[in-house]
Amino acid sequence: MAKNLELYEKKMLADQEFPIQLSVDRCHSKGRYFAAHWHEQIELHYVVRGQTVIKLEQEELAAKEGDLIVANSNVLHEGYCPGTDMETMVAIFDMEDFSRELADKNIIFRPIISADPEISRIMLHIYEEHQKKEIGYRLVCKGELLKLVAYLVRNDALEMLSEEDSMKRRKKLERLNTVYQYIEGHYADPISNCELAELVHLSEGRFCHIFKESVGVAPLQYINELRLNKAMHLIRKGSFTATEAAEAVGFSDYNNFGRMFRRYFGCTPMEIKKTGANAENR
């Protein structure tokens, strides 16, 4: 599970023969399984089994088995598991490494594509090859991904951004990057909207608008969600009581922490503590 909330994630796809990052995400516990981030590359999430929720900027997309989520370049995205077993095939690539012609067009793809047989065939083939890793599997995966890109361009392209619009999107995310680095380092301390706005030289109102427009929630709500996820991690480790975990992540009112925890995770801190203890005893 990703822990770093620094927004910008520099992807090093230096292998000219295979400029693709492939991975499989698996999760069964309710909560965020990768943190908010953005990069210049396109990121694909194909649901092999179960369900997932991917947040693209302010929009939450619920995807089931057979669906493809597309995080276009320079789009903030993060993933949530609804609490049941899920598995996704993830592919990250730079359009420029595939086609200069297409890269120059700044194509924006449809963010979610449901139950497309051709996409499922391609992504499941990539998944199988990636799992087996037999000789030549990278060639097969690259070839299949090239087919997928061509298919998406022809069938699921929404618009083409101008260079000016692409730069505006990037600058907005770079500005918020400063805020997220600060939050990651100070989440256990009291943090105000005014304090965060001053970091990026904006008025409080303008900052809150930009943040919510990009992330989908208000700054303080996002901070509390971060604290809850940190508390969950501490409680599961078993070395912290629920009260100690609440204090460690910045909650001064335990009753309020308990209410927020239950609303966010669907269970109480004590239930998590008990589950963890039973798991250790087995």
Side-chain angles (χ1 to χ4, degrees), residues 14-240:
D15 189 340
Q16 293 184 357
E17 290 190 4
F18 193 69
I20 306 163
Q21 180 178 315
L22 296 177
S23 62
V24 175
D25 282 341
R26 297 182 179 92
C27 187
H28 62 273
S29 301
K30 184 177 181 181
R32 185 174 58 225
Y33 65 94
F34 70 83
H37 66 283
W38 64 276
H39 39 69
E40 291 91 347
Q41 292 78 18
I42 295 170
E43 185 166 322
L44 307 177
H45 293 258
Y46 177 78
V47 185
V48 178
R49 63 186 178 90
Q51 297 178 327
T52 186
V53 176
I54 306 290
K55 182 183 287 187
L56 302 180
E57 295 188 336
Q58 70 270 33
E59 185 177 10
E60 287 190 358
L61 300 175
K64 61 185 183 304
E65 184 174 324
D67 292 349
L68 179 72
I69 298 287
V70 181
N72 288 287
S73 61
N74 298 328
V75 169
L76 193 67
H77 52 286
E78 60 186 312
Y80 293 86
C81 176
T84 56
D85 286 345
M86 55 141 282
E87 186 174 18
T88 60
M89 183 70 226
V90 184
I92 301 173
F93 62 94
D94 195 323
M95 184 66 84
E96 189 171 323
D97 292 327
F98 285 4
S99 168
R100 162 56 67 180
E101 177 190 4
L102 295 180
D104 288 342
K105 294 182 182 298
N106 293 314
I107 297 173
I108 301 297
F109 295 106
R110 194 182 312 280
I112 182 168
I113 305 160
S114 297
D116 185 301
E118 179 62 11
I119 290 175
S120 291
R121 184 198 65 76
I122 293 172
M123 290 303 298
L124 287 175
H125 194 189
I126 292 173
Y127 171 79
E128 291 168 2
E129 289 287 336
H130 180 260
Q131 293 294 96
K132 295 177 181 177
K133 290 185 171 60
E134 296 176 346
I135 187 169
Y137 86 94
R138 300 204 308 171
L139 285 173
V140 175
C141 290
K142 182 179 179 180
E144 289 291 346
L145 197 54
L146 285 168
K147 291 179 185 177
L148 179 63
V149 169
Y151 185 83
L152 292 175
V153 167
R154 293 177 176 180
N155 296 279
D156 296 289
L158 285 181
E159 60 178 315
M160 299 181 189
L161 291 182
S162 67
E163 193 63 36
E164 181 181 359
D165 288 338
S166 294
M167 187 59 65
K168 284 180 180 179
R169 176 183 289 186
R170 181 185 174 90
K171 285 183 176 179
K172 182 174 68 173
L173 290 171
E174 287 175 343
R175 174 175 280 178
L176 286 177
N177 189 40
T178 300
V179 173
Y180 275 78
Q181 290 184 58
Y182 183 83
I183 291 172
E184 176 66 18
H186 299 83
Y187 65 84
D189 303 323
I191 301 176
S192 67
N193 288 330
C194 181
E195 183 180 358
L196 296 176
E198 288 177 355
L199 288 173
V200 288
H201 311 292
L202 292 172
S203 69
E204 183 176 341
R206 179 61 178 160
F207 163 72
C208 290
H209 174 76
I210 289 175
F211 190 98
K212 187 168 185 178
E213 181 182 55
S214 298
V215 182
V217 296
L220 296 185
Q221 181 181 340
Y222 195 87
I223 293 169
N224 280 331
E225 290 181 359
L226 168 62
R227 289 169 173 161
L228 289 169
N229 277 287
K230 295 285 188 179
M232 170 69 88
H233 177 69
L234 293 176
I235 294 169
R236 278 185 172 153
K237 282 175 62 178
S239 54
F240 284 74

Side-chain angles (χ1 to χ4, degrees), residues 245-264:
E247 292 176 353
V249 300
F251 286 102
S252 57
D253 183 340
Y254 180 78
N255 290 330
N256 183 48
F257 165 73
R259 286 192 295 269
M260 292 178 67
F261 192 99
R262 179 161 194 158
R263 186 163 59 246
Y264 187 66

Side-chain angles (χ1 to χ4, degrees), residues 232 234-238 240-242 254 261 267-282:
M232 170 69 88
L234 293 176
I235 294 169
R236 278 185 172 153
K237 282 175 62 178
F240 284 74
T241 66
Y254 180 78
F261 192 99
C267 59
T268 67
M270 294 306 298
E271 287 172 336
I272 295 297
K273 188 73 175 176
K274 184 177 179 180
T275 301
N278 288 340
E280 288 179 1
N281 293 330
R282 285 198 291 269

